[in-house]
PDB file of all heavy atoms in Angstrom:
ATOM      1  N   PRO A  11      16.557 -74.446-159.797  1.00 95.00           N
ATOM      2  CA  PRO A  11      17.063 -74.298-158.439  1.00 95.00           C
ATOM      3  C   PRO A  11      17.179 -75.646-157.741  1.00 95.00           C
ATOM      4  O   PRO A  11      16.530 -76.019-156.758  1.00 95.00           O
ATOM      5  CB  PRO A  11      16.009 -73.488-157.723  1.00 95.00           C
ATOM      6  CG  PRO A  11      14.696 -73.711-158.562  1.00 95.00           C
ATOM      7  CD  PRO A  11      15.121 -73.947-159.912  1.00 95.00           C
ATOM      8  N   PHE A  14      21.950 -81.088-159.242  1.00 96.00           N
ATOM      9  CA  PHE A  14      21.962 -81.978-160.439  1.00 96.00           C
ATOM     10  C   PHE A  14      22.883 -81.438-161.595  1.00 96.00           C
ATOM     11  O   PHE A  14      24.043 -81.247-161.285  1.00 96.00           O
ATOM     12  CB  PHE A  14      20.503 -82.074-160.992  1.00 96.00           C
ATOM     13  CG  PHE A  14      20.259 -83.372-161.731  1.00 96.00           C
ATOM     14  CD1 PHE A  14      20.625 -84.518-161.320  1.00 96.00           C
ATOM     15  CD2 PHE A  14      19.686 -83.321-163.048  1.00 96.00           C
ATOM     16  CE1 PHE A  14      20.437 -85.727-162.043  1.00 96.00           C
ATOM     17  CE2 PHE A  14      19.446 -84.391-163.813  1.00 96.00           C
ATOM     18  CZ  PHE A  14      19.834 -85.641-163.334  1.00 96.00           C
ATOM     19  N   VAL A  46      13.184 -69.507-181.047  1.00 97.00           N
ATOM     20  CA  VAL A  46      14.572 -69.867-181.003  1.00 97.00           C
ATOM     21  C   VAL A  46      15.509 -68.705-181.284  1.00 97.00           C
ATOM     22  O   VAL A  46      16.674 -68.631-180.762  1.00 97.00           O
ATOM     23  CB  VAL A  46      14.894 -71.101-181.830  1.00 97.00           C
ATOM     24  CG1 VAL A  46      16.332 -71.532-181.975  1.00 97.00           C
ATOM     25  CG2 VAL A  46      14.104 -72.316-181.408  1.00 97.00           C
ATOM     26  N   PRO A  50      19.689 -66.867-176.273  1.00 94.00           N
ATOM     27  CA  PRO A  50      21.189 -66.468-176.298  1.00 94.00           C
ATOM     28  C   PRO A  50      22.043 -67.514-177.084  1.00 94.00           C
ATOM     29  O   PRO A  50      23.033 -67.209-177.684  1.00 94.00           O
ATOM     30  CB  PRO A  50      21.586 -66.457-174.866  1.00 94.00           C
ATOM     31  CG  PRO A  50      20.267 -66.213-174.050  1.00 94.00           C
ATOM     32  CD  PRO A  50      19.202 -66.921-174.968  1.00 94.00           C
ATOM     33  N   SER A  69      25.192 -73.995-174.516  1.00 97.00           N
ATOM     34  CA  SER A  69      24.334 -74.813-173.720  1.00 97.00           C
ATOM     35  C   SER A  69      25.005 -76.229-173.798  1.00 97.00           C
ATOM     36  O   SER A  69      26.021 -76.519-174.409  1.00 97.00           O
ATOM     37  CB  SER A  69      22.947 -74.817-174.242  1.00 97.00           C
ATOM     38  OG  SER A  69      22.929 -75.299-175.474  1.00 97.00           O
ATOM     39  N   ILE A  74      29.585 -76.744-171.956  1.00 98.00           N
ATOM     40  CA  ILE A  74      29.869 -75.667-171.060  1.00 98.00           C
ATOM     41  C   ILE A  74      31.116 -75.940-170.311  1.00 98.00           C
ATOM     42  O   ILE A  74      32.105 -75.100-170.209  1.00 98.00           O
ATOM     43  CB  ILE A  74      28.686 -75.401-170.084  1.00 98.00           C
ATOM     44  CG1 ILE A  74      27.386 -75.011-170.824  1.00 98.00           C
ATOM     45  CG2 ILE A  74      29.100 -74.365-169.031  1.00 98.00           C
ATOM     46  CD1 ILE A  74      26.245 -75.035-169.942  1.00 98.00           C
ATOM     47  N   GLY A  79      36.825 -75.055-169.182  1.00 98.00           N
ATOM     48  CA  GLY A  79      38.133 -75.749-169.051  1.00 98.00           C
ATOM     49  C   GLY A  79      39.070 -75.091-169.984  1.00 98.00           C
ATOM     50  O   GLY A  79      40.229 -74.746-169.500  1.00 98.00           O
ATOM     51  N   ALA A 102      30.035 -88.734-166.464  1.00 98.00           N
ATOM     52  CA  ALA A 102      29.290 -88.173-165.305  1.00 98.00           C
ATOM     53  C   ALA A 102      27.882 -87.829-165.799  1.00 98.00           C
ATOM     54  O   ALA A 102      26.862 -88.116-165.014  1.00 98.00           O
ATOM     55  CB  ALA A 102      29.940 -86.872-164.727  1.00 98.00           C
ATOM     56  N   ASP A 107      22.064 -89.353-165.760  1.00 96.00           N
ATOM     57  CA  ASP A 107      20.902 -89.612-166.635  1.00 96.00           C
ATOM     58  C   ASP A 107      20.292 -91.090-166.171  1.00 96.00           C
ATOM     59  O   ASP A 107      19.140 -91.223-166.027  1.00 96.00           O
ATOM     60  CB  ASP A 107      21.290 -89.718-168.129  1.00 96.00           C
ATOM     61  CG  ASP A 107      21.158 -88.429-168.734  1.00 96.00           C
ATOM     62  OD1 ASP A 107      20.611 -87.458-168.214  1.00 96.00           O
ATOM     63  OD2 ASP A 107      21.764 -88.260-169.894  1.00 96.00           O
ATOM     64  N   GLU A 108      21.168 -91.961-165.952  1.00 96.00           N
ATOM     65  CA  GLU A 108      20.788 -93.281-165.521  1.00 96.00           C
ATOM     66  C   GLU A 108      20.180 -93.263-164.169  1.00 96.00           C
ATOM     67  O   GLU A 108      19.192 -94.027-163.791  1.00 96.00           O
ATOM     68  CB  GLU A 108      21.995 -94.325-165.614  1.00 96.00           C
ATOM     69  CG  GLU A 108      22.449 -94.487-167.036  1.00 96.00           C
ATOM     70  CD  GLU A 108      23.311 -95.846-167.127  1.00 96.00           C
ATOM     71  OE1 GLU A 108      23.473 -96.590-166.160  1.00 96.00           O
ATOM     72  OE2 GLU A 108      23.894 -96.045-168.268  1.00 96.00           O
ATOM     73  N   GLY A 114      13.276 -89.187-165.469  1.00 81.00           N
ATOM     74  CA  GLY A 114      12.047 -89.593-164.973  1.00 81.00           C
ATOM     75  C   GLY A 114      11.055 -90.190-165.941  1.00 81.00           C
ATOM     76  O   GLY A 114       9.852 -90.191-165.772  1.00 81.00           O
ATOM     77  N   TRP A 133      29.889 -98.469-162.961  1.00 98.00           N
ATOM     78  CA  TRP A 133      30.246 -97.037-163.321  1.00 98.00           C
ATOM     79  C   TRP A 133      31.292 -96.654-162.334  1.00 98.00           C
ATOM     80  O   TRP A 133      32.242 -95.949-162.768  1.00 98.00           O
ATOM     81  CB  TRP A 133      29.012 -96.162-163.074  1.00 98.00           C
ATOM     82  CG  TRP A 133      28.103 -96.065-164.326  1.00 98.00           C
ATOM     83  CD1 TRP A 133      26.883 -96.458-164.491  1.00 98.00           C
ATOM     84  CD2 TRP A 133      28.521 -95.430-165.593  1.00 98.00           C
ATOM     85  NE1 TRP A 133      26.336 -96.080-165.752  1.00 98.00           N
ATOM     86  CE2 TRP A 133      27.368 -95.526-166.436  1.00 98.00           C
ATOM     87  CE3 TRP A 133      29.612 -94.891-166.051  1.00 98.00           C
ATOM     88  CZ2 TRP A 133      27.363 -94.928-167.747  1.00 98.00           C
ATOM     89  CZ3 TRP A 133      29.707 -94.284-167.353  1.00 98.00           C
ATOM     90  CH2 TRP A 133      28.548 -94.415-168.180  1.00 98.00           C
ATOM     91  N   LEU A 154      43.522 -87.955-163.380  1.00 98.00           N
ATOM     92  CA  LEU A 154      44.277 -88.085-164.510  1.00 98.00           C
ATOM     93  C   LEU A 154      45.752 -87.707-164.359  1.00 98.00           C
ATOM     94  O   LEU A 154      46.504 -87.352-165.257  1.00 98.00           O
ATOM     95  CB  LEU A 154      43.653 -87.218-165.650  1.00 98.00           C
ATOM     96  CG  LEU A 154      42.294 -87.658-166.002  1.00 98.00           C
ATOM     97  CD1 LEU A 154      41.794 -86.736-167.139  1.00 98.00           C
ATOM     98  CD2 LEU A 154      42.214 -89.063-166.581  1.00 98.00           C
ATOM     99  N   GLY A 156      48.840 -85.378-162.627  1.00 94.00           N
ATOM    100  CA  GLY A 156      49.101 -83.928-162.552  1.00 94.00           C
ATOM    101  C   GLY A 156      49.308 -83.502-161.079  1.00 94.00           C
ATOM    102  O   GLY A 156      49.271 -84.370-160.162  1.00 94.00           O
ATOM    103  N   ASP A 157      49.627 -82.204-160.843  1.00 94.00           N
ATOM    104  CA  ASP A 157      49.927 -81.684-159.560  1.00 94.00           C
ATOM    105  C   ASP A 157      48.794 -80.899-158.915  1.00 94.00           C
ATOM    106  O   ASP A 157      48.964 -80.376-157.834  1.00 94.00           O
ATOM    107  CB  ASP A 157      51.176 -80.768-159.707  1.00 94.00           C
ATOM    108  CG  ASP A 157      52.450 -81.497-160.237  1.00 94.00           C
ATOM    109  OD1 ASP A 157      52.582 -82.715-159.826  1.00 94.00           O
ATOM    110  OD2 ASP A 157      53.203 -80.942-160.982  1.00 94.00           O
ATOM    111  N   SER A 187      33.025 -99.934-153.549  1.00 97.00           N
ATOM    112  CA  SER A 187      33.384-100.331-154.905  1.00 97.00           C
ATOM    113  C   SER A 187      34.551 -99.479-155.467  1.00 97.00           C
ATOM    114  O   SER A 187      35.202 -99.928-156.405  1.00 97.00           O
ATOM    115  CB  SER A 187      32.207-100.087-155.779  1.00 97.00           C
ATOM    116  OG  SER A 187      31.007-100.835-155.286  1.00 97.00           O
ATOM    117  N   ARG A 190      39.347 -95.327-153.840  1.00 98.00           N
ATOM    118  CA  ARG A 190      40.248 -94.253-154.193  1.00 98.00           C
ATOM    119  C   ARG A 190      39.527 -93.184-154.661  1.00 98.00           C
ATOM    120  O   ARG A 190      39.778 -91.908-154.405  1.00 98.00           O
ATOM    121  CB  ARG A 190      41.319 -94.710-155.142  1.00 98.00           C
ATOM    122  CG  ARG A 190      42.230 -95.796-154.647  1.00 98.00           C
ATOM    123  CD  ARG A 190      43.304 -96.154-155.676  1.00 98.00           C
ATOM    124  NE  ARG A 190      44.034 -97.429-155.307  1.00 98.00           N
ATOM    125  CZ  ARG A 190      45.175 -97.699-155.914  1.00 98.00           C
ATOM    126  NH1 ARG A 190      45.630 -97.127-156.949  1.00 98.00           N
ATOM    127  NH2 ARG A 190      45.793 -98.908-155.517  1.00 98.00           N
ATOM    128  N   VAL A 198      38.841 -83.405-152.797  1.00 98.00           N
ATOM    129  CA  VAL A 198      38.565 -82.232-153.701  1.00 98.00           C
ATOM    130  C   VAL A 198      37.333 -81.527-153.182  1.00 98.00           C
ATOM    131  O   VAL A 198      37.214 -80.272-153.267  1.00 98.00           O
ATOM    132  CB  VAL A 198      38.405 -82.762-155.154  1.00 98.00           C
ATOM    133  CG1 VAL A 198      37.999 -81.638-156.051  1.00 98.00           C
ATOM    134  CG2 VAL A 198      39.690 -83.338-155.637  1.00 98.00           C
ATOM    135  N   ALA A 205      33.692 -76.629-150.980  1.00 98.00           N
ATOM    136  CA  ALA A 205      33.028 -76.692-149.633  1.00 98.00           C
ATOM    137  C   ALA A 205      31.945 -75.607-149.532  1.00 98.00           C
ATOM    138  O   ALA A 205      30.752 -75.732-149.079  1.00 98.00           O
ATOM    139  CB  ALA A 205      33.946 -76.743-148.541  1.00 98.00           C
ATOM    140  N   ALA A 209      27.845 -75.859-149.248  1.00 97.00           N
ATOM    141  CA  ALA A 209      27.037 -75.330-148.200  1.00 97.00           C
ATOM    142  C   ALA A 209      25.949 -74.393-148.742  1.00 97.00           C
ATOM    143  O   ALA A 209      24.903 -74.384-148.209  1.00 97.00           O
ATOM    144  CB  ALA A 209      28.009 -74.553-147.264  1.00 97.00           C
ATOM    145  N   TYR A 215      18.871 -74.954-151.644  1.00 95.00           N
ATOM    146  CA  TYR A 215      17.999 -76.019-152.246  1.00 95.00           C
ATOM    147  C   TYR A 215      17.656 -77.096-151.301  1.00 95.00           C
ATOM    148  O   TYR A 215      16.840 -78.044-151.498  1.00 95.00           O
ATOM    149  CB  TYR A 215      18.752 -76.759-153.401  1.00 95.00           C
ATOM    150  CG  TYR A 215      19.520 -75.929-154.351  1.00 95.00           C
ATOM    151  CD1 TYR A 215      20.773 -76.043-154.673  1.00 95.00           C
ATOM    152  CD2 TYR A 215      18.811 -74.842-154.832  1.00 95.00           C
ATOM    153  CE1 TYR A 215      21.474 -75.280-155.596  1.00 95.00           C
ATOM    154  CE2 TYR A 215      19.472 -73.890-155.856  1.00 95.00           C
ATOM    155  CZ  TYR A 215      20.828 -74.113-156.066  1.00 95.00           C
ATOM    156  OH  TYR A 215      21.396 -73.296-156.961  1.00 95.00           O
ATOM    157  N   GLY A 221      14.909 -83.151-158.152  1.00 91.00           N
ATOM    158  CA  GLY A 221      13.474 -82.681-158.005  1.00 91.00           C
ATOM    159  C   GLY A 221      12.453 -83.641-158.667  1.00 91.00           C
ATOM    160  O   GLY A 221      12.839 -84.638-159.280  1.00 91.00           O
TER     161      GLY A 221
END
Side-chain angles (χ1 to χ4, degrees):
F14 204 52
V46 173
S69 64
I74 296 170
D107 276 344
E108 292 195 11
W133 271 119
L154 299 177
D157 299 322
S187 303
R190 297 183 191 192
V198 175
Y215 316 130

